[in-house]
Amino acid sequence: MGGLERLLQVLFVLGINMVPLAGVLAGGWSQGTALALYWCENLLGSLLIAARISLHRRLTRKRGHEGGFLAGFLSASLIFTLAHGLFLGAILFFVLPQMGGGRPDASELLRGLVFVVAFQVAAFAHDAFHLRDWPFAAVKDMTDRA
């Protein structure tokens, strides 16, 4: 990956993660909204990684995709994310309000999701354009980081 590609990847990640932070610091969002938005970002991110894996498999037919690589990633990622969501839900609705952190606000969450989805879709579109050139090791590395 060249310097420009690496810079774009960093900018996508920073953009995605700055949305909740900016919402709290500049928009007056509750901590609950920020945490819920991070969870939504993780769920969408897992689904888009699975889409990258599937597209890479179709475009390249490279070794490593056999043996249920996509299904293994997707099931592990979704099980973890959903379990994390249950735990986070308990914190957001029972613990955080007791500590003054505030529950998630639906309108703030939707506003943040617009930006998070935009950054994630832009990152996906960028990657999709280059997936044909990725070795399987790059796809594996992406799943390991997720």
Side-chain angles (χ1 to χ4, degrees):
M1 183 183 308
L4 181 58
E5 293 297 314
R6 193 171 306 276
L7 177 62
L8 279 173
Q9 294 296 328
V10 168
L11 290 175
F12 287 136
V13 169
L14 285 175
I16 290 166
N17 286 287
M18 287 303 294
V19 173
L21 183 61
V24 169
L25 296 178
W29 296 357
S30 70
Q31 296 166 351
T33 299
L35 289 172
L37 189 56
Y38 276 123
W39 182 85
C40 292
E41 181 268 322
N42 284 331
L43 178 62
L44 180 59
S46 293
L47 296 173
L48 289 174
I49 288 172
R52 285 175 178 91
I53 295 167
S54 179
L55 186 57
H56 185 265
R57 180 178 62 194
R58 272 190 246 131
L59 290 173
T60 67
R61 306 271 187 228
K62 292 195 175 183
R63 293 181 72 190
H65 284 294
E66 65 277 344
F69 177 70
L70 172 59
F73 167 77
L74 195 54
S75 62
S77 177
L78 290 179
I79 287 169
F80 174 80
T81 301
L82 294 175
H84 179 245
L86 290 173
F87 178 72
L88 183 61
I91 290 174
L92 291 176
F93 291 99
F94 300 112
V95 177
L96 201 57
Q98 300 290 328
M99 299 172 64
R103 291 185 173 150
D105 178 87
S107 64
E108 294 170 350
L109 185 59
L110 287 174
R111 201 169 332 137
L113 276 172
V114 167
F115 290 101
V116 167
V117 168
F119 277 114
Q120 287 207 353
V121 167
F124 175 80
H126 174 267
D127 289 351
F129 186 74
H130 298 283
L131 276 175
R132 186 179 303 279
D133 301 325
W134 286 17
F136 178 77
V139 174
K140 177 79 169 82
D141 182 56
M142 177 184 54
T143 63
D144 289 346
R145 284 183 281 125

